[in-house]
Structures are given as C-alpha cells and as structure tokens.
Amino acid sequence: MKILSDYHVHTSFSGDCSVSPETMIRSAIDRGIQHLCLTDHMDYDYMESDVFFEFDPAEYFHRLLPMKEQFAGQIDLAIGIELGLQPYLSKKHHNLVFSNSFDFVIGSIHLVHCKDPYFPSFFSGRKEEDAYLEYFQCALQNLQAYSNFDVFGHLDYVVRYGPSQNQYYSYNRYMEILDEILRILVKKDIGLEVNTGGYKYGLNDPNPCKDIICRYRELGGKIVTLGSDAHDPAFLAYEFDRAADLLKECGFSSYFIFHDRRPEEIGL
C-alpha cells in the first residue's frame, strides 16, 4: 500500500457506527496503517432521522488520549472531528474547536437546508442536476460563513446518493460554482480531502471526482488528505493505492497528515 495514513475514520462515538475505537485502532495496525485519525461526527441539529450525531468531547478525549500512549509504538494516532457544517452553527463550531485540542478538523456538508442527500426525499420532485447545484451552493454558503477547519470533506458527497449517481455528473457541468469553492479553499489554506468512499459507492471516482482534484491543484491547492470514511474496519484505507495513482495523475507528489492542527507532508 502506497498511502499508510487514513485520516477519515469513524467509531462508536458516531451515531452511525457501532465499532469501538479500540477495535478500529487494532484493525488499522493489523492492516499496516501507520497514521490514523479518528474523526467522529459532530452534526448539531441533525433531524433527518432518529440517529444522534453528537458526542461529548470530554468523554471523547478521556477515552482516546490514553490510547495514544497505549498504541504509541504501533501507530501514530491523531484525534480529529468531522463537523457537519451549517451556516448558523458557526459560533457553536468556533467554540467547540477552540475549546478542545483536536489534531485535525474536517468540515463537511451533510445537510442542505436541513435535508440530507443520503435520503431519497432530497431528490424527490425535482431534477437531479438542480439537487446537485443546491448542494454546491450550500457548500459555498458554509465556506463563506465558517472556515476554521483543516480540510473540506468529500466535496461532492451528494453524488453518491443521486438517482443516477455520476452518470450525468461532471466537474464541467458545475465548473463556475466549484471553482469559486476551490478558490476559497486555496486562498484560506484549507486542504481538500480525497475520500475513497466514492469508490465504495461504485462511482469509479473518489469524492471529489478526479477533475475537481486536478482543478484544485491547477488553482494552487497543495494540501490533500486521504480518508476512507470507514465505519467498518473492513474499509480502512479502502482503495488507497488507486487513490495514490490518481493523485499523481493530478500532479501531486505528496499528501498530508496533521498534528495539533498543523499539516505534515508525506511523499507519495
């Protein structure tokens, strides 16, 4: 495996995962992963289902900090978080991030005007292309409202769940708004996550797609992280060799990990 750093992994602290942190860490060690960041969901005001996407940060650190020492000789464990961005939550996110010593913060869009594209109802009664555009418009609004995170997570997440997925989707179709998003990321030194969950969903691309990753590079973007979005140990570092090849095709010669919110470069 060319990339040994998985920086988007969930555990039982996330409402949609039942795997203990210990199990996920031991599984990562068994797979030869050298750098692992646990990034559990913090989606305030998630009301699309009865799943609760919040956790107690004090308990999180109480559980995970001892594991850094326990597994220190076997794996480099970082403590992260995945924020579910919504513009009106900016102050709440600010207080959360500055009150806790996270190594790494992902900013992701899971809700678009209180609706999650994961559910078919998000696409009901309208064109798929309009639903995708609304998602990207929401991503831009969130970036303009709050940007204290290290990477933007799975930028075209919405495509995983569209009725036709990426059959009619392309970067060129949404180029204007995607470029606006990417320029903000570059200007604010926010990285772009390459999330291999897209491969798992059969897209033949990570999230975001190859053309977006290449365009981020063209616009001056340098920081990319790799994440499997694993909620199950079986998907740790999923298709990372494939992702490494894609990054090289896009002109990248390295990727990044984080400690204390500071990026550290690793060659491909």
Side-chain angles (χ1 to χ4, degrees), residues 112 117 120-137 158-159 161-165 168-169 173-174:
V112 179
S121 58
F122 179 77
F123 299 93
S124 180
R126 58 176 172 162
K127 294 180 180 178
E128 184 178 68
E129 63 187 279
D130 293 336
Y132 287 3
L133 179 59
E134 185 185 6
Y135 181 88
F136 294 130
Q137 289 170 337
V158 65
V159 178
Y161 310 110
S164 304
Q165 291 189 309
Y168 307 110
Y169 162 74
R173 197 163 193 170
Y174 304 93

Side-chain angles (χ1 to χ4, degrees), residues 106-120:
I106 302 173
S108 296
I109 311 297
H110 299 124
L111 292 176
V112 179
H113 303 125
C114 301
K115 292 186 177 182
D116 191 338
Y118 177 83
F119 297 102

Side-chain angles (χ1 to χ4, degrees), residues 21-245:
E22 296 92 337
T23 298
M24 200 64 85
I25 294 166
R26 291 186 185 279
S27 297
I29 292 169
D30 290 344
R31 286 175 175 265
I33 294 170
Q34 295 179 359
H35 310 277
L36 179 72
C37 189
L38 302 182
T39 54
D40 282 300
H41 286 294
M42 186 67 88
D43 276 71
Y44 295 119
D45 297 350
Y46 188 95
M47 293 179 283
E48 269 284 71
S49 70
D50 57 1
V51 178
F52 188 63
F53 285 110
E54 298 178 30
F55 61 84
D56 178 2
E59 176 62 19
Y60 195 53
F61 280 91
H62 177 73
R63 285 278 302 280
L64 298 185
L65 281 173
M67 294 182 199
K68 278 196 170 191
E69 292 188 22
Q70 179 184 351
F71 296 104
Q74 303 172 74
I75 197 167
D76 169 32
L77 177 65
I79 300 175
I81 190 169
E82 183 181 13
L83 300 178
L85 302 176
Q86 298 189 68
Y88 72 92
L89 291 174
S90 296
K91 186 174 180 179
K92 199 165 186 176
H93 285 151
H94 177 86
N95 292 338
L96 171 67
V97 169
F98 280 99
S99 299
N100 296 278
S101 54
F102 295 108
D103 288 302
F104 180 61
V105 179
I106 302 173
S108 296
I109 311 297
H110 299 124
L111 292 176
V112 179
H113 303 125
C114 301
K115 292 186 177 182
D116 191 338
Y118 177 83
F119 297 102
S121 58
F122 179 77
F123 299 93
S124 180
R126 58 176 172 162
K127 294 180 180 178
E128 184 178 68
E129 63 187 279
D130 293 336
Y132 287 3
L133 179 59
E134 185 185 6
Y135 181 88
F136 294 130
Q137 289 170 337
C138 183
L140 180 59
Q141 289 165 4
N142 272 283
L143 266 176
Q144 292 168 336
Y146 184 76
S147 59
N148 184 32
F149 47 87
D150 302 310
V151 302
F152 200 100
H154 48 54
L155 176 53
D156 54 11
Y157 161 92
V158 65
V159 178
R160 293 181 183 176
Y161 310 110
S164 304
Q165 291 189 309
N166 61 349
Q167 185 176 355
Y168 307 110
Y169 162 74
S170 69
Y171 156 74
N172 287 331
R173 197 163 193 170
Y174 304 93
M175 178 172 55
E176 184 176 345
I177 191 165
L178 285 170
D179 276 4
E180 195 169 352
I181 291 168
L182 294 175
R183 286 191 175 97
I184 292 175
L185 296 182
V186 172
K187 182 179 180 180
K188 296 191 174 185
D189 290 322
I190 299 172
L192 185 69
E193 179 196 40
V194 176
N195 186 304
T196 59
Y199 293 134
K200 189 182 79 168
Y201 279 85
L203 300 180
N204 203 36
D205 255 319
N207 297 115
C209 65
K210 177 182 176 180
D211 286 347
I212 292 177
I213 298 168
C214 289
R215 183 60 173 155
Y216 173 71
R217 176 67 175 171
E218 288 174 4
L219 291 171
K222 298 177 181 178
I223 297 174
V224 289
T225 61
L226 272 290
S228 64
D229 212 344
H231 292 65
D232 180 321
F235 291 101
L236 283 165
Y238 185 75
E239 294 279 22
F240 271 22
D241 282 352
R242 188 176 178 185
D245 290 339

